[in-house]
Amino acid sequence: MNFIKNLNFEIVLESYLNLGNILFLAGIFFLPSALPIGGFLLLISIFISFHTNKENFLKNRWNFILFISIILIVISTFYSSILNPSEELLDFNKSIIWLNLFNWVPIYFAYIGFQAYLKSQKQKLLFQKVLIAGTVPVIASCIMQRFFNMYGPFETLFGTIVWFNYDFSLEKVQHATGLFNNPNYLGMWLTICLPFSLSALKLEKNNSLNLIFLYLLNILIIYFAFATYSRNALIGLFISFLLVLNRKKFIYFSIFFLISVFIFSYLLPNMINFSSTNFIDLHQANTFQKFSSLNFSLKNPRIAIWSNALNFITMRPILGWGPSSFPYVFYENAYLEIPLNKYQHTHNLVIELAYNFGIPIALLITSTIFAMFIKVFKKIKKVAKKSYTYLMYKPLLASFFIFLIAHLTDITYYDGKISILFALLLASLKNILDENIELKNNSKIYIE
């Protein structure tokens, strides 16, 4: 009887996990284009993951360290908002500080819950494929905006799902945004997904239609990432080419990329007679100067933000000022040589953590994540370079590296789509660390 009960329990458990896995993949697909739907499906999959997981996730040292970090974040927030708020924040709405915790605490539990669906190589490959498929609506929104002048915002489900598709004639938006509300967010999403779509070209060998689709998708991802005019997007493109492609393909793809950009940027606009706010006019307006003009003096807005943020950190180095308080403190106390627009964060994730929660928490989180990345890098480096494992795991490293580099000069993490994608990538890296990967002498599965 005990055997039958255990068998029935295992069957029910497996069925729950299968349901959770389906919801997990569906949530990834809807994540970029319909965040409320994708987030809801992912939330249910997380609940199923916690309900069916009999393991104590705190026994894993990576999970435990990050859990301690979350506890310290809550303590820091309680201290900075209730126990000992700074004089500068006496008139600040403290509820905003607590609401900002939703940018941090839920992402940790998402990272824990996602691990159940990213354990095997098959699960990781499915995640990558669905992520590529989910990026197709993003590309569609970019095509609507760039080539057909179809401007939004487009709203549905009582305004909970919004495709922004800004009008290029608006002064504040000169570059491609697609369904995102900021070109940097679009550039971040596309360049994080690019390593997976490039790798899919290597893994796809038999279906010519799939190859054509993947070639076209890669061209469009690259083009629209370039069209955002985001410096981090350009860096992400370079990292993707360098880390995912071999040396010969890196050269060929770079040449192909430049030719494709020329065709899409100059020839096609002339052929289909774009409006006065098209890509060519942006060139004529010298918007490319955003790539070339780097002013590292204190008059540069970003440098001014960093220098003032570091000064604020020295005032409250242990437990910080509290999340979301930076704009208020900055504009009340910063000494600026030039007027600035309203900046909502410090434009550097390490500085942001130190300002919000204190230097110890910032060091604990960043050193843990960096250590995970380095260990996975060393582990993958031991795998045969033509093996299935290597070709599937290398884009995970490239995507995560793009995320790390981009967040040295900007914080796209505050977009819910990007932060959830970060949790997915981090959960994948953690599972790779736990996985027994066949090394060079034992790898049996190769890509021809």
Side-chain angles (χ1 to χ4, degrees), residues 205-217:
K205 294 294 180 181
N206 300 321
N207 193 317
S208 57
L209 289 178
N210 286 348
L211 282 172
I212 294 173
F213 167 77
L214 287 170
Y215 271 115
L216 179 60
L217 181 63

Side-chain angles (χ1 to χ4, degrees), residues 129-184:
K129 288 183 175 180
V130 174
L131 185 64
I132 295 172
T135 303
V136 172
V138 177
I139 296 299
S141 71
C142 294
I143 293 173
M144 291 163 58
Q145 182 189 40
R146 175 64 65 179
F147 295 130
F148 297 101
N149 298 333
M150 296 176 64
Y151 303 127
F154 305 111
E155 300 181 4
T156 187
L157 288 182
F158 308 102
T160 58
I161 298 175
V162 182
W163 286 21
F164 289 93
N165 279 54
Y166 284 122
D167 187 340
F168 288 136
S169 65
L170 297 178
E171 184 178 352
K172 69 173 183 177
V173 179
Q174 298 178 343
H175 314 307
T177 62
L179 57 83
F180 288 86
N181 67 351
N182 186 292
N184 291 332

Side-chain angles (χ1 to χ4, degrees), residues 301-313:
R302 196 151 298 182
I303 301 300
I305 290 171
W306 289 338
S307 62
N308 279 277
L310 291 173
N311 183 48
F312 297 147
I313 290 170

Side-chain angles (χ1 to χ4, degrees), residues 324-436:
S324 294
S325 65
F326 177 75
Y328 186 86
V329 175
F330 183 70
Y331 286 95
E332 289 293 326
N333 300 279
Y335 298 97
L336 304 177
E337 298 181 19
I338 59 174
L340 295 175
N341 294 325
K342 191 79 171 178
Y343 285 93
Q344 298 299 316
H345 51 71
T346 62
H347 286 78
N348 178 287
L349 192 54
V350 180
I351 294 176
E352 183 81 358
L353 287 168
Y355 171 86
N356 287 345
F357 310 114
I359 295 175
I361 295 176
L363 291 178
L364 181 62
I365 293 175
T366 55
S367 61
T368 301
I369 292 174
F370 184 74
M372 290 176 67
F373 175 79
I374 293 298
K375 285 183 176 292
V376 172
F377 175 80
K378 291 180 178 179
K379 192 170 186 177
I380 299 301
K381 194 175 181 180
K382 297 178 182 179
V383 179
K385 291 188 176 181
K386 290 186 177 181
S387 68
Y388 180 87
T389 300
Y390 184 84
L391 294 177
M392 188 176 61
Y393 286 178
K394 193 176 181 182
L396 280 169
L397 279 173
S399 292
F400 198 78
F401 186 58
I402 290 170
F403 177 90
L404 294 179
I405 293 298
H407 280 77
L408 295 177
T409 56
D410 197 8
I411 304 179
T412 56
Y413 172 90
Y414 284 134
D415 184 279
K417 303 165 187 175
I418 304 297
S419 59
I420 292 174
L421 184 53
F422 164 75
L424 288 162
L425 295 175
L426 189 63
S428 299
L429 292 188
K430 182 266 176 187
N431 281 349
I432 292 175
L433 288 175
D434 296 340
E435 186 178 339
N436 292 321

